[in-house]
Structures are given as C-alpha cells and as structure tokens.
Amino acid sequence: MEKGTVRNIFVAATYAATLLLGLILGQNYVDQQGSSPGNSLIPIGLSDNSYKVQQVLDLLVNNYVDSLNLDSLENGAINHIVSHLDPYSSYLLPNASKSQSEALDGTFEGIGLEYYNLNDTLMVVGLMRNGPAEKVGIKVGDKILKIDTTVVSGRNTPLQTVEKLIRGKKGSTVDLFVVRNTDNIIKTFKLRRDQVSVSAIDVAYILQPTVGYIKIRRFGLKTAEDFKQSLIELKKQGATNLILDLRDNAGGYFHIAIRLANEFFSDKKLLVFTKGAHEDKREYFSEGNGDYASGKLVVLINGRTASASEVVAGAVQDWDRASIVGRRSYGKGIVQEQFDFLDGSRINLSIAQYYTPLGRSIQRAYKANWSNMIDYASMYRGLWVLDTAFVQGQLFKTLEGRELYSGGGITPDYIVPIDSNALSMLYQEIVGSNYLEEFVYERFTKKSPAYSVENFIQGYHLPIQEYNDFISYLNTRGIAVSAKKKNDLLGLIQSDIEAIVARYYFGREAFFKVKNRTDPFIEKAIDVLKPMNIAS
C-alpha cells in the first residue's frame, strides 16, 4: 500500500495545541493518489464544486501581480478548511508530521542526550541509557561549545539550529566539543548517530510494600509492551496492588490504549465502542488474558488526562475494576484517523466518537468562535471554544451500583481538592519562566552529590536557606514574591527544586520518585487502597 493511502486509527490530543490545522481537497490530492485502490480522501471531492480550491490556486499563480509560492498557498488553504471542522482535526506539514510520529513511536535518530541552554551555553542535563552519547563518555554537566564546525556557545544559537546539527541519519557521525567542570579542558567526542528509543513509561517502581506504581506519559507504539514488562518486574518485587498514573497523559494511539486496558481483565469485556456519521458502530473487547486481572487497582487522572487515557479510565471505571482518584479529566472523546500524503504531510481527521462500555460519551461540548476572525494574524488561534463547565448528562449505573454520568470527561470516584497555590498566577509564572531549572543548574552542578540515589530520594530536603536564596534570585529577575506568598509556596517550590536536582544527579526516574514523596494524589491513592486489605 502506498504511503498516501496508509490509515492508522489513533486518539490524538497531546500535540494538538502546538501543531498546524488544515485539510487538503480537490484535484491536487487526486493527482497524488492516482488510481491506487484503498482508503483515501478522493470521494470527498467529487461534486461539481470540488475543483474550486485548485482553480483558485491556479488563478493566483498564473495571474497575480507578484510571484507566489504554490506550496504556501496550498498549505494556507488547507489550514483554513480544516480549522473550521472541529478543535482536533489537524493538518501537519512534513516536519511536524515526522515529529509527531517520532514522539508517538518513541524512536528517533540522534545521539541520545538532553541539553539545557544555561546562560547561552548548552549544558548536558540528561543521557539516554546506552545511547551514543553515553557510550562515548559524555557526562551530565558537560557544556557543549561546538558541534562539528559550528560554534554554539555564546552565540545565541536557536535551539532549532542545534537540533538540526545534532540529529541526522543513523550511521552518520557528528563531532561534539565539550568542556567539563572537573578539569576545564576541552574534550572532543566523535559520535555515530543511532536509533534512540524513549519509553513512554516515565517510572515504574515499588511505592510501598505490595504497592506498585507506574506512570505513563503517552500511548505510543511500545507503551503496552513496556507496561507489560513493568508489571512483570513489579510482581517479582511483591506488588499485589497497583497505582496507574495517567495524569498529564493527553493521548496517543487508540489501539495501544485498548491493548493496555486488556491487562486488567481476565474475561472478555467490552472496553469501548465507536461510531460516527460515516463510521458504523465498532466494539472493542478485552481478550481475557490480562496480566493484572485480579490485583487492586487505582487510576490517577487530572484535567490534562485526555483521549486514549480516558478510554482506559472509562473502561476500568465502568466495570468496577478500579477506583479513579484525582480531578475530572479533559473530556476528549473524539477518534481520529491519520491520512498520510506522499510529501510527508498528514491529516489527522476526526471520524467518530468513542463511548465507554456503559455507553457514556465523555466529549465536552465545543463550538466555533468567530470573534477572532477579524484579526488575520490570529485567525487560526483559538477558533474553537471548549465548554469547561460540567453539565451532568445521562445517568448510568455500574454492576456494583456506582452512579456515573456522560459528558465532560471522567469524574473521579475520589476527588483530590484543588491546590489554589499551584494554580496561582505567581506560581504559574515561576514554573513557566524556567528560573527553577536555571537556579538548580547554576548552583547544584559544580560537584557530585554527597548522597547515594537511595538516600537522596528518601531523605534529601532543600535547606530553607536555599529556598530563601531562590526567592531572592526571582526578585533579581523581576518576579516579586511577598512574604505571604513566600510562605504559601514553600512546599511546592521546595518539592520542585528537589525533583530537578534529583533528575540532574540521578536521572528521570529519580525526578518522579522525589515528586511523589509529597504528592496529594499519591497520598489519596494509598488511603483508598488501605481498606482493600493490603498485606503488610
């Protein structure tokens, strides 16, 4: 099957806020497809007016007073058409399409390091295990001065430029010139780019005796496989209860969410069904061979839990398989389908809605917002308005008698109160400013930690003097913090700094382990598990 006719059902929400919108219709698409059989968009454009878009483009290219770029015109027209369909259908240009695929597939071609631009110098802040950078001896804390022949330190080099310099085809080489704090000598490393894999499992570990914890960032191609392996390891360590953290997981591949939900059932259960104006009802069932079909289960959600995550949460809630803890989820119940073009661009088109096993639709209401169409510069931003108010829909009852409602996301069985300090404008400004990272990288990266990873995670707490210094640091950068706010934000900011320090010294898993020490969602989940006869 040609690339242009490939279809891949998925639920996409994670990247919708940052990617372009659009849809291509008319003769240009037909020309690309030729007479190839299979699924395509050709039937959409068979009316007498189907060639208007192409005719207008031809008219402009052949008659307009100035020369025009046909590709830009086409992309603009595509953008405009699909931006009026719904908030989720999107048109991705080749680079954006490739980035989305890499993020969902969990693989890319590169050297396997994370960097941070600190005072116009690229500092290595993370290394992929067994990646090219780690293998040649690059260390966290190294500062990158030059990539091949391009100096990137002290030049205000755009991160997009750095990305292009570092990434490349598998097997190609790149030279990095770095300086290390310990010896202040410039070192040269020749790296051979390779396929780098990034798991969608942020962390999986024993939180308490018999209680396993798994946090999933997205539903990519290998998420179900990685989850299954994590379950095996946790069971070996004595886990008979599980906390599944889907907070901030905004979706991914629909069929992967189905595979993961299957792990929680020992018999054939309806997990979800879909239907749309042009899509017949389709039902998706568990296979009855779940690896975690009998243990106690708590699922954590919040307002950024969406799409594929809501499929999983809805299935286990409807069947009384799990307790849902947290905040009401986002409410995206739209199934999308990918249509790939020969040039690498892609359409993510909404084709159906999905419903939980009981028949609940969790899609929040949305409507077009035409008020911003006067300003051309912002006409593609904020076109759709999502209804954030919860309106109870139809009532459903589970087999155990729990009352559940349709519409507006998944409502938890146990609600964690909102932390007003975390939602405050001041805290959001601090988090969004990157000053937390800058403070840590400027102060905590000069020498190795005096703690082992286990001791750090269990016992390290930011000294109050360091917190006071951070508040002073903010004041010098134009963020004023009153005495009251300083006291209110103490716990939040201490936890943030501790977690960033842990990530720098010990890696990504340490970050989440430190954050979980004082997490109210985790505390509530443990509390919910207590009456379930957890073995001590």
Side-chain angles (χ1 to χ4, degrees), residues 514-532:
V514 169
K515 287 293 289 183
N516 286 349
R517 296 185 310 190
T518 57
D519 190 325
F521 286 73
I522 301 291
E523 292 173 358
K524 185 62 180 178
I526 294 295
D527 185 58
V528 168
L529 286 171
K530 282 180 181 177
M532 295 180 178

Side-chain angles (χ1 to χ4, degrees), residues 285-299:
F285 291 86
S286 62
E287 298 175 0
N289 58 353
D291 281 351
Y292 193 78
S294 59
K296 305 301 183 183
L297 176 64
V298 171
V299 178

Side-chain angles (χ1 to χ4, degrees), residues 222-242:
K222 294 186 177 181
T223 301
E225 177 185 333
D226 292 344
F227 177 77
K228 195 179 187 77
Q229 186 60 42
S230 297
L231 273 179
I232 293 173
E233 296 300 322
L234 291 177
K235 282 184 175 182
K236 287 180 181 178
Q237 298 174 55
T240 57
N241 305 273
L242 180 65

Side-chain angles (χ1 to χ4, degrees), residues 467-484:
Y467 176 70
N468 293 335
D469 289 346
F470 176 69
I471 298 302
S472 300
Y473 183 87
L474 291 177
N475 289 331
T476 63
R477 282 154 177 76
I479 299 181
V481 181
S482 67
K484 181 180 184 308

Side-chain angles (χ1 to χ4, degrees), residues 25-302:
L25 301 174
Q27 185 61 43
N28 185 60
Y29 184 79
V30 177
D31 289 343
Q32 286 187 8
Q33 296 302 305
S35 58
S36 301
N39 303 310
S40 71
L41 295 182
I42 295 175
I44 297 177
L46 293 181
S47 70
D48 290 340
N49 293 324
S50 63
Y51 306 123
K52 268 191 173 182
V53 173
Q54 188 65 40
Q55 288 174 339
V56 169
L57 294 176
D58 290 342
L59 177 67
L60 294 176
V61 169
N62 294 322
N63 297 280
Y64 189 64
V65 62
D66 294 322
S67 60
L68 297 170
N69 184 299
L70 180 58
D71 288 340
S72 297
L73 286 177
E74 285 182 334
N75 289 328
I78 295 165
N79 245 345
H80 187 76
I81 294 170
V82 143
S83 66
H84 293 73
L85 296 176
D86 62 78
Y88 310 112
S89 293
S90 58
Y91 170 66
L92 280 62
L93 295 174
N95 285 340
S97 176
K98 180 181 179 183
S99 296
Q100 186 190 67
S101 294
E102 289 178 341
L104 286 172
D105 294 349
T107 61
F108 62 91
E109 293 180 344
I111 60 176
L113 62 74
E114 297 177 69
Y115 50 86
Y116 183 86
N117 192 342
L118 179 66
N119 300 324
D120 202 18
T121 298
L122 300 179
M123 174 185 284
V124 178
V125 297
L127 294 167
M128 307 299 179
R129 186 172 299 175
N130 296 321
E134 185 183 68
K135 287 180 178 178
V136 300
I138 289 178
K139 298 182 181 297
V140 169
D142 287 351
K143 297 180 176 65
I144 303 173
L145 306 179
K146 188 168 69 170
I147 304 172
D148 284 333
T149 59
T150 304
V151 177
V152 294
S153 178
R155 300 289 181 90
N156 292 314
T157 308
L159 292 183
Q160 295 91 334
T161 301
V162 175
E163 195 77 2
K164 289 180 180 179
L165 291 170
I166 287 181
R167 290 204 180 186
K169 290 186 177 181
K170 177 180 177 179
S172 60
T173 61
V174 59
D175 291 330
L176 292 190
F177 299 80
V178 308
V179 63
R180 191 163 291 166
N181 282 331
T182 54
D183 49 28
N184 216 24
I185 298 174
I186 297 177
K187 299 176 180 292
T188 304
F189 295 93
K190 181 176 289 290
L191 298 92
R192 188 172 299 277
R193 298 181 179 97
D194 201 352
Q195 195 77 25
V196 179
S197 296
V198 182
S199 175
I201 307 293
D202 276 325
V203 64
Y205 69 104
I206 295 294
L207 186 66
Q208 289 189 359
T210 76
V211 180
Y213 170 87
I214 301 177
K215 180 173 177 59
I216 300 178
R217 182 167 64 255
R218 62 175 177 273
F219 288 92
L221 276 183
K222 294 186 177 181
T223 301
E225 177 185 333
D226 292 344
F227 177 77
K228 195 179 187 77
Q229 186 60 42
S230 297
L231 273 179
I232 293 173
E233 296 300 322
L234 291 177
K235 282 184 175 182
K236 287 180 181 178
Q237 298 174 55
T240 57
N241 305 273
L242 180 65
I243 297 174
L244 175 62
D245 195 342
L246 298 181
R247 290 176 296 172
D248 303 320
N249 183 325
Y253 289 119
F254 180 83
H255 69 287
I256 298 298
I258 301 301
R259 283 180 54 193
L260 191 139
N262 177 73
E263 300 298 337
F264 303 122
F265 298 96
S266 60
D267 53 357
K268 191 174 182 179
K269 298 285 190 184
L270 176 65
L271 299 178
V272 66
F273 65 89
T274 63
K275 58 182 179 180
H278 305 286
E279 293 285 329
D280 293 334
K281 181 179 179 180
R282 292 189 62 184
E283 297 179 324
Y284 300 83
F285 291 86
S286 62
E287 298 175 0
N289 58 353
D291 281 351
Y292 193 78
S294 59
K296 305 301 183 183
L297 176 64
V298 171
V299 178
L300 304 183
I301 64 173
N302 64 7

Side-chain angles (χ1 to χ4, degrees), residues 346-367:
R346 169 184 297 168
I347 294 168
N348 294 336
L349 186 66
S350 298
I351 62 168
Q353 287 199 34
Y354 71 76
Y355 299 82
T356 69
L358 290 176
R360 293 187 291 155
S361 168
I362 56 86
Q363 175 61 49
R364 68 163 74 180
Y366 56 83
K367 61 182 179 179

